[in-house]
């Protein structure tokens, strides 16, 4: 269906255009190479579709401007970190106020009380701890799970992503756990720490949990990092039932599935995990994350952590729970990621999906669109993948690159790694409809339907 030669030519043309129109970003990138490996402060920043990353000047709401003066509609939103929109008006005053009054003390502030109560209300778990990143929240949740169960393994789903958590960079090959491709300097062979099964495979899950040596299943209730993969009917019930039967803790990572509603997928569908982690957007972009526990888990933890040795126990962090994070979480949850905001944003995400679907239909493409609340994405395959393995096999890097580049050259930033868009409270109907137009134009330019 896609003429690969033409695709290559189109990529070349778009790359040329990108370079011509971003001279300042290019110059900054060249300078940055002197002091940053690959010219970027964080290695993922090399993964953009252009030949260098664009340097940002400022962001406001659903838009940002780069150093070359181009304005973009931002559907990436910091890969969820800014799902609130940039500089969210409902949170910035409280954040500024906290900065003026001191940001970190290694002591609690009163905002913690409000945040704890609100997390309980949203996610249905009574006890909470704060970390700096979702990665840390996951690491600490796994440590505590091992601590109280005295079990060696954790179980994750194939092609999951839970941050830079060692145990999760594993995949399954002929029934054995091996390192996932690209795993940099693995600290421990994941075969010693991790069992991997495919999402939606109840039989494999049952078999893996049966020996009773898995401390916890760490899972997104809907996979989002190899594309959106919904649980099949009954799968999450089976997951809950099997973990309970085998004394395995169930940890839901809601960092991305927070797009489903104010209480994530857990709140929206009344799930009952033993532990829950969430980061990124909950502080409106200020680094923070939380991990929560059920009453039963808290009971098992209570009294088992040595107060004298608390600072060397492997959970916590000097800046975790700092005053700024707490103020940011309070303001974000109170004023930005509200029920009303979700209702509006989800309706716009539906409009985004319908727009892309209409082009797919008009042009008879074998592609699909998937959505999870205010997160939506399109796929270059005919039917929804059932699990991570199927999804990974459908990735088309060249086509991804072309679609991202075309969008970028027309003032739209999509989430890298896949064709995903997030809708914030400041995204407008005009932004969505403009995307549909650019998507149609990019397809036509590729197929030669209209150039
Ligand atoms: N959990 C999930 C589901 C994620 O998608 C990510 C990041 N993409 C993380 C955890 C880690 O977040 P961070 O990089 O902010 O630690």
């Amino acid at each position: 269906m896609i003429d690969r030669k033409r695709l290559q030519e189109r990529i070349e043309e778009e790359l040329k255009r990108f370079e011509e129109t971003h001279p300042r970003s290019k110059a900054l990138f060249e300078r940055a190479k002197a002091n940053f490996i690959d010219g970027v402060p964080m290695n993922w920043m090399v993964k953009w579709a252009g030949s260098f990353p664009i340097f940002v000047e400022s962001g406001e709401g659903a838009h940002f401007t780069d150093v070359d003066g181009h304005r973009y509609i931002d559907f990436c939103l910091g890969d969820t970190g800014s799902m609130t929109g940039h500089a969210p008006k409902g949170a910035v005053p409280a954040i500024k106020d906290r900065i003026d009054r001191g940001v970190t003390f290694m002591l609690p502030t009163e905002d913690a009380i409000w945040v704890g109560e609100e997390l309980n209300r949203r996610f249905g778990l009574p006890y909470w701890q704060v970390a700096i990143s979702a990665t840390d929240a996951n690491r600490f949740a796994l440590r505590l799970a091992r601590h109280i169960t005295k079990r060696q393994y954790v179980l994750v789903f194939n092609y999951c992503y839970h941050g830079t958590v060692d145990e999760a960079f594993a995949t399954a090959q002929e029934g054995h756990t091996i390192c996932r491709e690209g795993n940099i300097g693995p600290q421990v062979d994941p075969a010693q720490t991790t069992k991997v099964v495919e999402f939606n495979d109840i039989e494999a899950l049952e078999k893996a949990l049966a020996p009773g040596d898995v401390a916890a299943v760490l899972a997104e209730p809907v996979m989002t990092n190899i594309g959106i993969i919904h649980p099949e009917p009954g799968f999450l019930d089976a997951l809950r039932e099997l973990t309970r039967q085998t004394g395995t803790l169930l940890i839901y990572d809601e960092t991305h599935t927070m797009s489903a509603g104010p209480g994530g997928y857990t709140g929206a569908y009344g799930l009952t995990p033993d532990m829950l982690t969430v980061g990124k957007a909950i502080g409106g972009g200020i680094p923070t994350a939380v991990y929560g526990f059920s009453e039963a888990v808290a009971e098992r933890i209570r009294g088992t952590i040595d107060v004298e040795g608390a600072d060397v126990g492997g959970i916590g962090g000097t800046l975790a729970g700092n005053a700024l994070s707490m103020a940011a979480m309070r303001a974000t949850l109170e004023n930005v990621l509200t029920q009303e905001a979700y209702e509006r944003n989800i309706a716009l995400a539906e409009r985004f999906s319908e727009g892309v679907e209409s082009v797919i239909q008009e042009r008879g493409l074998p592609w699909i669109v998937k959505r999870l609340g205010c997160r939506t994405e399109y796929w270059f395959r005919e039917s929804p993948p059932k699990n991570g393995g199927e999804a990974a096999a459908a990735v088309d890097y060249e086509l991804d690159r072309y679609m991202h580049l075309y969008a970028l050259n027309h003032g739209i930033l999509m989430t890298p790694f896949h064709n995903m868009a997030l809708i914030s409270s400041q995204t407008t109907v005009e932004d969505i409809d403009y995307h549909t137009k650019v998507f149609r134009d990019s397809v036509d330019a590729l197929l030669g339907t209209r150039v």
Side-chain angles (χ1 to χ4, degrees), residues 44 79 133-135 138 161-163 220 225 253 255-256 280:
W44 303 359
D79 191 13
S133 66
T135 297
N138 283 327
Y161 186 78
H162 296 286
E220 290 185 282
N225 279 295
D253 177 349
T255 300
H256 275 186
K280 295 199 189 184

Side-chain angles (χ1 to χ4, degrees), residues 83-162:
M83 195 172 84
T84 50
H86 300 291
K89 291 203 167 28
V92 168
I95 291 170
K96 281 188 172 159
D97 173 61
R98 191 65 253 182
I99 289 173
D100 285 340
R101 295 187 298 121
V103 297
T104 193
F105 304 93
M106 222 176 77
L107 284 169
T109 49
E110 199 172 335
D111 286 331
I113 311 300
W114 190 94
V115 169
E117 286 169 0
E118 180 64 8
L119 292 172
N120 184 5
R121 192 183 71 77
R122 289 190 183 216
F123 297 105
L125 292 174
Y127 294 101
W128 294 87
Q129 288 282 278
V130 179
I132 289 290
S133 66
T135 297
D136 271 356
N138 283 327
R139 278 200 206 123
F140 303 156
L142 291 181
R143 268 190 178 260
L144 286 166
R146 284 205 177 94
H147 174 70
I148 60 177
T149 62
K150 310 277 180 257
R151 294 179 178 184
Q152 175 182 352
Y153 293 103
V154 302
L155 186 143
V156 295
F157 292 109
N158 206 16
Y159 287 98
C160 66
Y161 186 78
H162 296 286

Side-chain angles (χ1 to χ4, degrees), residues 65-82:
T65 307
D66 72 10
V67 290
D68 286 291
H70 305 295
R71 187 166 183 267
Y72 300 86
I73 304 169
D74 191 354
F75 287 117
C76 168
L77 294 170
D79 191 13
T80 311
S82 295

Side-chain angles (χ1 to χ4, degrees), residues 261-326:
Y265 205 76
T266 292
Y269 291 89
L271 307 182
T272 54
D274 300 300
M275 296 163 102
L276 183 147
T277 63
V278 54
K280 295 199 189 184
I282 58 164
I286 298 290
T288 191
V290 293
Y291 50 118
F293 323 91
S294 67
E295 180 68 57
V297 169
E299 191 52 42
R300 289 170 76 184
I301 296 172
R302 238 177 242 130
T304 66
I305 296 179
D306 174 22
V307 174
E308 281 304 310
D311 54 336
V312 289
I315 61 168
T318 319
L319 298 186
N322 70 69
L324 181 60
S325 297
M326 302 311 295

